[in-house]
Amino acid sequence: MITSGNDVAAMREACRVVRKVLTEVGAFIEPGVTTADIDALGRRIISAEGAVPSFLGYNGYPAGVCVSVNNEVVHGIPSTDRTIKEGDLVSVDVGAFKGGFHGDAAETFPVGRVIPLALKLLEVTIRARDLGIAAAVSGGHVGDIGAAVQQEVERNGFSVVRQLVGHGIGRRLHEKPQVPNYGSIGRGMRLSDGLLLAIEPMVNSGDAFVKTLSDGWTVITADGSLSAHAEHTVMIRGREPEILTA
Ligand code: MF3
Ligand code: CO
């Protein structure tokens, strides 16, 4: 929760760095690059911008960004052994800490020609996230966000991951409240001006179940289906939140 102009400016700046990384990573990804190359680019930009990667060392997470491919949902650990190929669906999650504040956003990139199901999954995930953001209004409730996301996802025959949620953000990467991508209108914490949220649906083309690989981090779909992730950090502000990582 922030109210001072200085805090808002610092939060915008951390989020600008996150956006810069995602934009440059999006232009960089092509068949032949490894997920470690994506991590290296992300770290280079974050550090050149005078920021620190929020995820590096968080609960022992070993990289600067998360890169999750195809059936990987989130928290994929970049590796020199993982080479991107045509047709892949590559989610990149970026956090940057600068001026005392964290920004956090994720985008899923299609590599070259992908199957139609993958394109539909991407579209639905982004639309669900944006409908969730539109529901994040002052005086509303956290449940309004999840309800909007869930309705859009399920209307299209996909499923929302339950085991992972969005979150409050600001001076720490994860703050209260939790922001589930499912829920009921009118339920949960009341939203008010200055509240900072990371809204981040993870959407599976198959069922909602996920499991974690033995690396302790990589979350994959239990049924092997495709997954996509789209995240923005936003600030609640009247009838329309400010999308800080836009
Ligand atoms: N966007 C994710 C989150 O906020 C990324 C966290 S990765 C971790 O939860 F390594 F920091 F855990
Ligand atoms: Co997040």
Side-chain angles (χ1 to χ4, degrees), residues 167-190:
H167 49 96
I169 184 171
R171 290 189 170 82
R172 286 176 297 131
L173 176 62
H174 293 141
E175 300 192 7
K176 283 202 274 193
Q178 294 200 130
V179 184
N181 295 297
Y182 54 91
S184 307
I185 291 170
R187 297 295 193 92
M189 196 184 100
R190 193 176 276 278

Side-chain angles (χ1 to χ4, degrees), residues 104 167 198 200 231:
D104 183 7
H167 49 96
E200 52 174 321
E231 175 178 26

Side-chain angles (χ1 to χ4, degrees), residues 55 75 93-94 103-106 165-169 173-174 197-200 202 229 231-233:
F55 304 161
H75 302 169
D93 195 341
V94 177
D104 183 7
V165 296
H167 49 96
I169 184 171
L173 176 62
H174 293 141
L197 298 177
I199 297 176
E200 52 174 321
M202 289 141 273
H229 183 205
E231 175 178 26
H232 272 314
T233 295

